Amino acid sequence: MIEMKHVVKKYPGGNKALQGLNVSIAQGEFVYVVGPSGAGKSTFIKMLYAEERASAGKVIVNDVDITKLPARKVPFLRRQLGVVFQDYKLLPKKNVYENIAYALEVIEKDTKFIKQRVIAVLKLVGLATKAKRFPHELSGGEQQRVAIARSIVNQPQIVIADEPTGNLDPETTWEIMKVFEAINAQGTTIIMATHNREVVDRMRHRVLRIDKGRLVNDQRGGGYDGY
């Protein structure tokens, strides 16, 4: 599903964000990526959808070696992935239904299929009654639910989330995490960068800890214990 082999990422000026990273993630796993600010978490996440490219090593996603992927093919890779951002990235002039449907319209799915899928994911994320609302009419948690729905509407095998609860209050955070749990229960791989220790401790899954660009711990089935 996902493999990183001896991955190095150097930024201009010589700063190494990742230093010889080796990681393998199987289909259906739920993986937290944790570590202090500046440790390399965001670079790790961005590598998976080719926002950043490795300076050395290999990054393989769904049997595609991203390190050799021409730029013109990156959009096709991203269609196989769901990406959720901390700042939602919703289209302000489109309502909830339209924001989600847009992800299918750009790949030219037919109208009937789009309607069925959008309704299905709205039910999954608990927004079936708010399809006609615009982003400014929603709470932060509701906007994040829309962003999650948009990320899964094309039924990706992998959902990548970069600090998806970072701007949310504790109660809303747990609601959002339950949505991710439901998505994972359907067989979707979840990879989530997070600073939220309580989430990692309470909703126990595999934890990859990165520090100074290196994988310093890989713990299956348990939070921050031992870190």
Side-chain angles (χ1 to χ4, degrees):
M1 172 69 61
I2 293 172
E3 283 191 86
M4 289 191 175
K5 299 180 179 179
H6 311 293
V7 171
V8 174
K9 174 60 180 180
K10 290 182 182 179
Y11 286 109
N15 176 46
K16 281 189 178 182
L18 297 177
Q19 304 188 57
L21 215 64
N22 290 286
V23 174
S24 181
I25 298 172
Q27 184 174 350
E29 283 198 87
F30 194 130
V31 179
Y32 297 117
V33 183
V34 305
S37 295
K41 299 189 305 298
S42 289
T43 299
F44 176 94
I45 290 292
K46 290 176 180 178
M47 288 275 186
L48 300 178
Y49 57 94
E51 179 73 16
E52 296 288 355
R53 299 290 192 117
S55 305
K58 287 188 176 183
V59 180
I60 299 170
V61 178
N62 285 348
D63 298 321
V64 176
D65 185 351
I66 296 177
T67 51
K68 296 180 180 179
L69 193 66
R72 69 180 186 279
K73 293 188 177 181
V74 168
F76 297 96
L77 166 77
R78 292 177 180 170
R79 290 177 188 177
Q80 303 171 37
L81 308 173
V83 184
V84 182
F85 302 95
Q86 185 175 351
D87 58 354
Y88 320 136
K89 298 191 185 298
L90 301 180
L91 300 170
K93 294 184 179 180
K94 291 183 180 291
N95 64 28
V96 167
Y97 181 97
E98 292 166 340
N99 261 280
I100 299 167
Y102 185 70
L104 295 176
E105 290 168 356
V106 296
I107 56 174
E108 300 180 342
K109 294 292 185 179
D110 68 72
T111 303
K112 183 179 179 181
F113 176 82
I114 291 173
K115 184 176 181 180
Q116 290 174 339
R117 278 298 298 159
V118 173
I119 290 171
V121 297
L122 281 172
K123 288 179 180 178
L124 179 62
V125 302
L127 290 176
T129 63
K130 299 194 175 183
K132 294 184 180 180
R133 299 282 182 89
F134 286 84
H136 72 273
E137 299 176 305
L138 304 175
S139 69
E142 288 169 339
Q143 290 184 58
Q144 190 60 292
R145 287 170 184 259
V146 178
I148 293 169
R150 182 182 57 193
S151 78
I152 63 171
V153 72
N154 197 32
Q155 299 174 294
Q157 293 180 301
I158 302 168
V159 170
I160 300 161
D162 193 0
E163 300 284 356
T165 63
N167 291 329
L168 305 177
D169 62 74
E171 183 178 352
T172 306
T173 291
W174 296 119
E175 293 172 358
I176 293 299
M177 289 306 300
K178 288 176 183 176
V179 173
F180 279 112
E181 292 274 318
I183 295 167
N184 180 241
Q186 295 182 344
T188 304
T189 304
I190 306 287
I191 302 166
M192 180 184 298
T194 183
H195 276 106
N196 195 318
R197 178 171 184 152
E198 189 175 0
V199 164
V200 176
D201 278 339
R202 283 181 57 180
M203 292 184 164
R204 293 186 166 240
H205 296 289
R206 182 180 175 189
V207 182
L208 302 177
R209 182 171 179 83
I210 297 174
D211 195 5
K212 296 179 182 177
R214 299 183 185 277
L215 181 64
V216 296
N217 209 329
D218 182 349
Q219 182 172 318
R220 296 179 183 271
Y224 268 80
D225 299 348
Y227 286 124

